[in-house]
Amino acid sequence: MMRLEKRPSPSRLWTAATPVLAVVVTMVAGGILFATLGKDPVAAIRLIFWDPLFSEQYASYSRPQLLVKSGPLILIAVGLSFGFRANVWNIGAEGQYIIGALCGTAVALAFYPAPGWYIFPLMVIAGAFGGWAWAMIPAILKTRFRTNEILVSLLLVYVAEKLLAAMALGAMRNPDGGGFPGSRNISRYEPAANTELIANTGLHWGVVTAFIAVIFAYVMLHKHMLGFHVRLAGQAPRAARFAGVRPGALVVFCLGLSGALSGLAGMFEAAGPAGRISIDFAAGYGFTAIIVAFLGRLHPIGILLAGLLMGLTYIGGEIAQLTLGLPAAAIQVFQGMLLFFLLALDLLSNYRVRPGRREMT
Amino acid sequence: MTEHTPLLEIDGVTKAFPGVVANDGVSFSIRAGEVHALLGENGAGKSTLVKMIYGLVRPDAGRMRLHDAAYEPRDPSEARAQGVGMVFQHFSLFDALDVAENIALGMDDPPPQRRLARRIEEVSHDYGLPLDPARLVGDLSAGEQQRVEIIRCLLQNPKLLIMDEPTSVLTPQEVEILFTTLRKLAAEGTAILYISHKLEEIRALCDHATILRGGKVVDTCLPGEKSAREMAEMMVGARLNTPARAETQPGDVLLEVSELSVTPATPFGTKLHDISLQLRAGEVLGVGGVSGNGQDELLAALSGETRLPKSEIVFKGRPIGASGPNARRAMGVLSAPEERLGHAAAPDMTLTENALLSGAVREGLARRGFIAWRKARAFAERIIAAHDVRTPGPEVAARALSGGNLQKFVMGREIQQRPEVLIVNQPTWGVDAQAAAAIRQALLDLSAAGAGVLVISQDLDELMEITDRFAALNAGQLSAPRPTRGLTMEQVGLMLGGAHDMEVAHETA
């Protein structure tokens, strides 16, 4: 028989090792999954994790895609990690991402086709504001009426999706588009375009913002009282109140920050890689970022690495879909498994496994 | 069975847990009808020993004999079947069920409810523990809840009853009722194993005492023949210093609370009604009362965790009722809550981080919000050195410290910040005798240096020892403070609301 024994302090070794172990276990379980689908597991895993970066056939296209896909994931996940550390659960980043994209695009379309250096900065402000405002709805409902922010923020995703469809079909539809849904391509409207800064790297302003957010989050969490209070509120809410933290203000701060960063991610996506608002603009970054945040242990550097890894599975998954004919759902299951194994293996950093009988003490 | 054969015999019992030997060759015996005290500081091994007797823990080595036969209970129900009952310090009762239902849940083979209710009434009448089987447990006082636990044991006709710190939640009058019951049980031949560190109670109640220290039996004595001080020194294994205090004249009023009323945020909180008090420089004011009468709410109101109308609290002429904890700290009003882990300190954070938790403002550990980690660490080291906190260093998680050491750290953290007013709740709760003496001395030194100290505590001995004035908190209301010198325990008990109008129990029984 085995039993679990709580460690006096969390193990540093296991805290660092479990994400790596989770990736390995996911590869094994994913391989079994792909094998039962009748695909060669080794080839599929290789296609997902190796080929996007190193195969001659795909790398020239997929290498820049890595930053394009990882950028929004990292940006959103960094914002979410503050709330998750403080026990404020924003599950609706996808909705804030959509609203940010809508607000940013609206600014661009309002100026079209005028020139002006100030248009792109205005779009950035509008995108951040849109995401922030959308996140303020669950924040205010929670602080005023004690509603559950998980439910409210999640349900607001579906409201945002309807709003996106309405905009793509209505107010923002391209007047020169022959009646097809979707806005003008603002990435071709120079003052509003979120261009690739260095050719063939995929590096755009959103990726730069994501890197800045990682550094900002690192400094905040480790060097600043605000980050200390965020960690304190998550670990010991009563101690946080004793330390002078106002729980309501913290909820507003955490939701506001993650909303603003999600909105920025949406705005950069709309003005860059996506280029426009369309019905299927939302690609699930807001939900996948939750996995990224936990895979990165809610630590900024960890999130950076986890975002890159998750971006890789996106690209690799696409390649696997095209070449092996794997269903898209299989890739999503694969990503979900990663979170599942990570949380399961987390047990090892706080407990150790010992042989012997369980004893009541 | 004759008077001379022991009922329970413990012989060389040893139990080790990872990293600690909780019991090391412990031997003693209890005769029928004897009240036997098990004395020792926290961590001396008392709990492990009684858990082995009650079948919760199995010994690694040694023998136990009950009624002259080998006794090796595998679980508590087997122990109960052989006539061993136990009343725990923390009750295992369901608030939403009534008394009879709660008792039925703890029995291995409960009779039908109606018959059980009648039995409960009989037993409670016989032993002078009045209890209505139909009342909801959530509506009972702590003393009445304890009666539920005791009657649950008595229904099984135990030959040995183990009581773990039974008086920590009782008023002096309720303690008297309990003792009358226990004496009656002993007279009928039930053996009682009584765990406590309240030495005066042991002197009043117990026939024999076995003293444990570091998992070993270090001494035995007849409590009636020893003074409380002698027994305390046997427990600690060293001479004890009683806190010394200098005679000081109380100075100006530092903190004035007037007509403070608080409605709790949760339905389980206690409402505070019209609390008024004055705290002067250089005095120690004690607030006594059984837990759950508004202690937590009073501390939260004074620390700033609960925001109030401005004028309800005035510090040196400035209204501070609406100020938060950090604004009050900046002025010199500091506090230390009861719950060490989770309220006064964050369990998973290091001592350095916990030093920062309340020390950031007064110690200047953050500039424009940016944390000076080196200064925070130095502050933590200062606390550790000044208050003899046993820890490998300031980078250890708070939860890795023993209760007494963490309490010394938490109290030291506030004392080192040179407060003008310090409010503490249960400053020595669950702390061993030496650490408790050190904390009390530190509080006295602080008041001697001119600070006002408000001590909220359930430990009446502590309040009698260190306070200048005493007030009782009962159902959210504070009595007028009276000078502590000259107060008798009986007067204190009446100030605390007596035995919840149950003093007559034994006269009718």
Side-chain angles (χ1 to χ4, degrees):
Chain A
M1 290 280 264
M2 307 275 259
R3 73 194 159 88
L4 290 170
E5 186 179 284
K6 189 153 187 171
R7 294 175 191 270
S9 334
S11 157
R12 277 174 187 271
L13 174 72
W14 279 109
T15 306
T18 45
V20 179
L21 201 59
V23 171
V24 173
V25 176
T26 305
M27 284 187 185
V28 173
I32 295 169
L33 172 80
F34 298 143
T36 55
L37 289 169
K39 315 291 175 193
D40 176 1
V42 178
I45 298 292
R46 189 188 148 90
L47 215 47
I48 294 173
F49 285 101
W50 184 262
D51 286 354
L53 294 181
F54 302 108
S55 92
E56 285 180 16
Q57 193 185 351
Y58 307 111
S60 64
Y61 161 78
S62 56
R63 236 182 253 151
Q65 281 293 305
L66 184 63
L67 287 184
V68 170
K69 298 284 184 196
S70 308
L73 288 175
I74 295 168
L75 191 53
I76 299 170
V78 164
L80 292 178
S81 69
F82 274 77
F84 292 171
R85 275 177 184 266
N87 280 336
V88 178
W89 301 98
N90 178 9
I91 306 298
E94 184 81 354
Q96 294 137 24
Y97 170 86
I98 292 171
I99 301 298
L102 287 177
C103 290
T105 308
V107 168
L109 294 177
F111 283 100
Y112 183 85
W117 60 268
Y118 49 84
I119 294 175
F120 191 69
L122 277 180
M123 289 165 64
V124 171
I125 293 168
F129 176 80
W132 175 83
W134 205 246
M136 278 304 105
I137 301 172
I140 290 167
L141 288 177
K142 183 181 175 72
T143 48
R144 289 264 171 255
F145 304 109
R146 298 186 182 202
T147 59
N148 182 316
E149 79 278 16
I150 299 177
L151 289 176
V152 176
S153 65
L154 177 63
L155 293 179
L156 280 171
V157 172
Y158 303 104
V159 178
E161 280 176 354
K162 295 291 169 220
L163 206 60
L164 173 70
M167 286 295 163
L169 293 167
M172 289 192 188
R173 185 162 61 179
N174 183 358
D176 307 326
F180 282 100
S183 73
R184 278 182 204 285
N185 190 327
I186 56 171
S187 67
R188 296 217 190 107
Y189 166 42
E190 192 145 336
N194 174 22
T195 48
E196 198 174 26
L197 297 171
I198 304 170
N200 295 324
T201 56
L203 186 78
H204 61 70
W205 282 114
V207 180
V208 174
T209 311
F211 289 148
I212 294 172
V214 166
I215 296 165
F216 168 83
Y218 184 86
V219 172
M220 270 306 195
L221 283 173
H222 295 94
K223 311 273 179 206
H224 200 274
M225 285 305 278
L226 194 60
F228 176 70
H229 285 159
V230 164
R231 289 191 290 138
L232 189 58
Q235 292 186 13
R238 285 185 80 196
R241 272 200 294 282
F242 178 61
V245 178
R246 289 173 179 242
L250 199 67
V251 168
V252 169
F253 169 76
C254 288
L255 276 164
L257 180 73
S258 56
L261 293 187
S262 303
L264 277 177
M267 173 265 147
F268 285 124
E269 188 72 12
R276 66 174 61 158
I277 287 299
S278 57
I279 295 175
D280 54 2
F281 170 76
Y285 284 130
F287 291 117
T288 310
I290 298 171
I291 305 180
V292 170
F294 279 103
L295 193 63
R297 301 241 151 248
L298 306 180
H299 187 287
I301 309 295
I303 288 171
L304 181 70
L305 298 175
L308 290 170
L309 179 74
M310 199 55 85
L312 189 63
T313 65
Y314 259 107
I315 306 160
E318 273 173 21
I319 298 174
Q321 272 179 54
L322 290 172
T323 55
L324 285 182
L326 273 176
I331 300 298
Q332 285 170 9
V333 170
F334 190 72
Q335 291 174 341
M337 274 197 286
L338 197 52
L339 181 64
F340 173 82
F341 284 122
L342 180 80
L343 295 180
L345 288 168
D346 247 3
L347 197 71
L348 294 173
S349 53
N350 275 312
Y351 292 85
R352 72 180 115 216
V353 182
R354 290 206 164 236
R357 165 177 170 268
R358 184 178 293 264
E359 220 165 51
M360 289 172 77
T361 49
Chain B
M1 197 187 336
T2 70
E3 273 289 302
H4 301 289
T5 44
L7 172 76
L8 175 74
E9 211 181 340
I10 307 250
D11 186 12
V13 160
T14 297
K15 175 75 199 177
F17 292 110
V20 59
V21 180
N23 281 161
D24 186 0
V26 171
S27 304
F28 73 101
S29 60
I30 309 172
R31 289 195 314 273
E34 174 188 333
V35 185
H36 194 112
L38 210 49
L39 265 175
E41 295 201 275
N42 292 308
K46 296 170 302 199
S47 298
T48 307
L49 183 57
V50 295
K51 278 176 184 162
M52 285 192 284
I53 300 172
Y54 194 53
L56 280 167
V57 174
R58 302 186 75 176
D60 297 335
R63 291 179 312 132
M64 296 192 283
R65 294 178 73 76
L66 187 72
H67 298 303
D68 234 4
Y71 172 65
E72 292 167 348
R74 261 169 307 185
D75 53 40
S77 67
E78 200 170 309
R80 284 195 294 268
Q82 300 202 41
V84 175
M86 179 158 174
V87 176
F88 288 90
Q89 186 179 7
H90 301 285
F91 309 139
S92 41
L93 298 172
F94 295 94
D95 285 353
L97 299 180
D98 69 28
V99 169
E101 287 165 335
N102 263 293
I103 287 177
L105 276 176
M107 294 173 80
D108 297 315
D109 184 20
Q113 281 291 305
R114 190 174 305 201
R115 188 132 49 90
L116 181 64
R118 215 164 42 234
R119 288 276 295 134
I120 292 169
E121 277 172 346
E122 283 166 22
V123 171
S124 71
H125 183 261
D126 287 350
Y127 290 98
L129 297 172
L131 198 60
D132 178 355
R135 278 182 70 193
L136 285 185
V137 163
D139 296 336
L140 302 181
S141 73
E144 289 169 312
Q145 294 193 10
Q146 186 182 55
R147 286 176 203 162
V148 179
E149 294 272 12
I150 295 173
I151 285 172
R152 175 146 78 188
C153 284
L154 295 185
L155 284 173
Q156 327 233 3
N157 295 314
K159 295 288 166 282
L160 172 66
L161 183 61
I162 305 169
M163 305 218 58
D164 189 3
E165 301 268 356
T167 58
S168 56
V169 294
L170 303 183
T171 63
Q173 277 79 358
E174 287 176 321
V175 171
E176 266 316 305
I177 296 175
L178 175 69
F179 281 10
T180 312
T181 303
L182 293 182
R183 287 192 191 105
K184 184 167 174 163
L185 274 168
E188 290 172 0
T190 308
I192 293 163
L193 186 57
Y194 188 90
I195 301 173
S196 179
H197 52 237
K198 295 194 177 172
L199 301 164
E200 287 300 339
E201 288 177 1
I202 286 172
R203 292 191 62 225
L205 181 72
C206 300
D207 308 313
H208 285 92
T210 296
I211 296 140
L212 291 177
R213 193 195 317 141
K216 290 182 183 161
V217 175
V218 292
D219 217 334
T220 58
C221 70
L222 302 178
E225 295 173 0
K226 295 277 178 192
S227 73
R229 191 192 176 84
E230 284 169 318
M231 285 197 285
E233 287 176 354
M234 282 190 231
M235 265 163 63
V236 180
R239 284 188 53 81
L240 274 182
N241 298 320
T242 3
R245 52 188 324 188
E247 282 294 324
T248 47
Q249 286 300 314
D252 300 335
V253 173
L254 284 178
L255 192 75
E256 181 153 20
V257 178
S258 34
E259 293 174 5
L260 170 99
S261 295
V262 179
T263 308
T266 66
F268 304 106
T270 306
K271 199 172 167 172
L272 297 178
H273 302 275
D274 286 342
I275 289 187
S276 298
L277 62 87
Q278 284 188 334
L279 182 65
R280 291 176 178 276
E283 77 162 347
V284 183
L285 173 64
V287 172
V290 173
S291 158
N293 276 296
Q295 285 90 342
D296 285 349
E297 289 79 4
L298 180 60
L299 184 106
L302 295 176
S303 74
E305 287 169 75
T306 308
R307 307 289 159 103
L308 303 160
K310 230 176 169 182
S311 60
E312 288 188 1
I313 303 179
V314 175
F315 172 67
K316 293 209 282 194
R318 286 159 76 184
I320 60 165
S323 313
N326 283 328
R328 293 189 197 190
R329 282 182 188 125
M331 284 183 262
V333 180
L334 273 59
S335 57
E338 170 184 2
E339 188 68 42
R340 289 185 281 270
L341 284 175
H343 196 180
D348 290 326
M349 286 191 167
T350 65
L351 294 182
T352 301
E353 288 172 306
N354 275 299
L356 178 69
L357 195 152
S358 80
V361 183
R362 268 179 100 69
E363 294 296 313
L365 305 180
R367 185 180 287 175
R368 289 193 193 158
F370 285 93
I371 300 163
W373 282 114
R374 206 174 295 170
K375 281 171 94 176
R377 193 187 155 107
F379 178 47
E381 278 166 350
R382 204 170 91 212
I383 300 165
I384 291 167
H387 295 269
D388 187 28
V389 180
R390 311 274 164 81
T391 166
E395 299 307 316
V396 170
R399 74 168 189 224
L401 264 63
S402 73
N405 273 313
L406 185 57
Q407 186 70 12
K408 284 196 277 189
F409 182 83
V410 166
M411 298 296 302
R413 179 180 68 190
E414 308 306 328
I415 291 169
Q416 286 298 315
Q417 295 182 48
R418 296 158 281 101
E420 288 193 58
V421 166
L422 180 64
I423 302 124
V424 297
N425 189 5
Q426 297 274 57
T428 61
W429 176 74
V431 167
D432 63 55
Q434 269 178 321
I439 290 170
R440 287 172 195 155
Q441 186 64 56
L443 292 174
L444 287 175
D445 293 346
L446 196 61
S447 77
V453 180
L454 182 75
V455 181
I456 305 170
S457 179
Q458 290 187 63
D459 185 341
L460 295 177
D461 297 336
E462 168 170 278
L463 293 176
M464 293 297 112
E465 189 178 308
I466 63 169
T467 63
D468 300 297
R469 290 187 300 148
F470 176 88
L473 187 64
N474 189 18
Q477 286 176 304
L478 192 72
S479 71
R482 294 165 67 170
T484 309
R485 191 169 294 172
L487 273 183
T488 65
M489 268 300 177
E490 191 162 15
Q491 288 169 322
V492 169
L494 290 174
M495 284 172 82
L496 293 176
H500 300 278
D501 302 324
M502 297 265 184
E503 299 95 323
V504 289
H506 280 286
E507 285 150 38
T508 56

